[in-house]
Amino acid sequence: MSGPSRGRRRLLAALGAGAAAVWLARPSARGAPHDAYFRKLQAALRQAGIAEPTLVLDRERLRANIRRIAGHLAGKMALRVVVKSLPCPALLAEAAALAGTRRQMLFSLPQLEAMAKGGRDILLGKPLPAAAALAFYRQFSDMDFQPERQLQWLADTPDRLAQYRELARGQNLHLKLNFEIDVGLHRGGIADAATLRRMLDMVAEEPRLQWSGMMGYDAHVAKIPDIPGLRDKALRHARASYAAFAAIARAHPAGRIAEPCFNAAGSPTYRLYPGDAPENEVAVGSAMVKPSDFDLPLLDELLPACFIATPVLKALPRFELPYGVEWLGGLASGWDANARRGYFIYGGNWQADPVSPTGLESSGLYGHSSNQQLLVGSGLQALAVDDTVFFRPRQSEAVLQQFGDIAVYEGGRIVDSWPVLPATG
């Protein structure tokens, strides 16, 4: 029998070269133990006897972030602290004191019931049903807080405004109404001049109602694709829309008030507003603790200030899949050096990603668990049972409320425990 033909030999050689190239393209091992920052944080948790999933707040980073945000605004825009993003009374007090503000933005009835106290200036960040407003007034009793002066309900449509008007009439209340306007996000709100004028007419005709300003949220400006010029165009449109609505309101008899609240922007966009009117305040919360969804160029000067810490329950010598498909786990770990070791942690499946030690990730083959999440790694992390894995939340709202009291880290120690507000929608 003759040997392979020249063409066949070439094919075999090409296949062999291709297989070799594929093999050489395997992911290389990555990862490292905790750096100095996370080693100190792990030691502080151990010293405090914390051995369950915990939300840790770095108070020094928090304070530095708040000071930088206040410095960015430089007094040109007022700052309103967003309660849903910092849902902890002590954390909110810290932010208010350092930023020198008494303004808050709230998003639920439970938040309102908890925060309607003292000298706070409260703006609702979404339109609540009139039934929720009625529930607030039925239980409200803090004599130091005057809702008719310190609380702005948000109205987005004539129908919603009519509901608040009937509430005011039926309960003999005086209500301040801030109008939600659509500046390009298209999440509802007043979208045209005729609707705005109609709603201002409704306020002017009812002595129990007072127009207090407008709120135009611009989250789309930071989130739309970064096609050259598109974000700048969206910002120009948002500001032009705001200016047009503001001009209509200020020319209307109901809009002739001394200091309207023209709220705009949020954590991703607050730096885009130079304070040259009509917008006169921004609402910021998440940027103060900087979860990973806020890793944006405009926020580069800010540092992550909150982490989820959880113990390693099981450190396996190798990553294995359950009986019947062990072979697939062997293939995965043979192919990817970063799937050689398996670590089961206390809890898991959070809106967060492993950040330290580096190189850990969830296993797509094994799946997720809120009880004992499996993380895989190369082994370069040098993790052992009872060591700590740190996650960085993708957002602060809701996540900060999942772990009970917040552990406050300062000066290398856990120095305090801050209760959080009840979780709400």
Side-chain angles (χ1 to χ4, degrees), residues 116-273:
K117 299 175 182 178
R120 295 184 178 119
D121 176 324
I122 293 176
L123 169 64
L124 270 297
K126 65 185 178 188
L128 297 187
L134 175 59
F136 166 74
Y137 285 107
R138 281 179 170 169
Q139 64 80 42
F140 174 74
S141 61
D142 194 309
M143 300 301 294
D144 293 328
F145 185 84
Q146 301 176 16
E148 67 276 10
R149 292 194 310 103
Q150 296 172 245
L151 174 58
Q152 301 176 64
W153 299 98
L154 193 68
D156 58 330
T157 65
D159 288 344
R160 181 78 66 190
L161 180 57
Q163 292 175 2
Y164 281 114
R165 180 185 62 197
E166 296 312 306
L167 171 67
R169 289 173 176 174
Q171 302 297 315
N172 193 26
L173 299 170
H174 287 83
L175 305 181
K176 292 176 70 173
L177 279 304
N178 192 290
F179 287 176
E180 181 179 9
I181 58 174
D182 182 4
V183 296
L185 181 59
H186 298 335
R187 193 177 65 180
I190 301 168
D192 58 78
T195 302
L196 176 58
R197 290 192 179 98
R198 179 183 170 192
M199 292 174 66
L200 288 167
D201 288 343
M202 293 171 66
V203 171
E205 293 164 2
E206 175 52 67
R208 293 177 179 84
L209 302 183
Q210 178 189 351
W211 179 79
S212 63
M214 301 188 302
M215 189 274 284
Y217 191 39
D218 64 348
H220 63 291
V221 172
K223 294 182 179 180
I224 59 177
D226 193 18
I227 299 171
L230 187 56
R231 289 182 180 174
D232 286 342
K233 183 178 180 181
L235 177 63
R236 290 195 300 272
H237 174 268
R239 299 207 65 198
S241 299
Y242 208 123
F245 283 128
I248 292 169
R250 297 307 301 269
H252 193 281
R256 294 169 188 166
I257 62 175
E259 297 181 3
C261 170
F262 285 146
N263 179 273
S267 285
T269 55
Y270 77 90
R271 296 194 67 183
L272 300 175
Y273 289 78

Side-chain angles (χ1 to χ4, degrees), residues 3 5 12 33 69 107 171 175 241 246 289 301 303 342 381:
S5 66
L12 290 172
I69 292 167
F107 290 82
Q171 302 297 315
L175 305 181
S241 299
V289 292
E301 297 176 33
L303 293 172
Q381 295 81 9

Side-chain angles (χ1 to χ4, degrees), residues 57-72 91 94-95 98-99 270 287-290 299-305 409-410:
L57 176 71
D58 187 322
R59 193 176 189 180
E60 292 168 342
R61 289 188 174 191
L62 169 72
R63 288 174 167 174
N65 287 345
I66 295 171
R67 291 190 181 103
R68 287 192 180 98
I69 292 167
H72 294 154
L91 174 53
E94 186 106 331
L98 286 173
Y270 77 90
M288 296 179 181
V289 292
K290 200 182 181 184
L299 304 181
D300 277 349
E301 297 176 33
L302 307 179
L303 293 172
Y409 175 68
E410 183 177 17

Side-chain angles (χ1 to χ4, degrees), residues 269-298:
T269 55
Y270 77 90
R271 296 194 67 183
L272 300 175
Y273 289 78
D276 55 358
E279 308 95 342
N280 56 22
E281 72 166 32
V282 294
V284 179
S286 296
M288 296 179 181
V289 292
K290 200 182 181 184
S292 62
D293 282 355
F294 295 82
D295 284 343
L296 304 169
L298 288 173

Side-chain angles (χ1 to χ4, degrees), residues 2 24 26 69-70 111 126 159 183 201 215 234 243 275 298 321 336 351 354 364 393 401:
S2 62
L24 290 173
R26 290 180 305 154
I69 292 167
Q111 289 178 3
K126 65 185 178 188
D159 288 344
V183 296
D201 288 343
M215 189 274 284
L298 288 173
L321 286 175
D336 186 354
Q351 293 188 67
Q401 295 162 288

Side-chain angles (χ1 to χ4, degrees), residues 41 45 50-59 62 85-88 91 289 291 304-311 350-352 388-409 414 416-420:
L41 190 50
L45 291 165
I50 296 174
E52 59 184 350
T54 302
L55 196 292
V56 184
L57 176 71
D58 187 322
R59 193 176 189 180
L62 169 72
S85 302
L86 307 172
C88 165
L91 174 53
V289 292
C306 63
F307 303 96
I308 299 166
T310 192
W350 304 297
Q351 293 188 67
T388 305
V389 174
F390 293 96
F391 287 72
R392 187 176 172 202
R394 299 183 198 118
Q395 62 180 48
S396 59
E397 59 189 82
V399 177
L400 267 65
Q401 295 162 288
Q402 288 183 263
F403 304 91
D405 291 359
I406 293 173
V408 182
Y409 175 68
I414 302 299
D416 210 342
S417 180
W418 287 353
V420 297

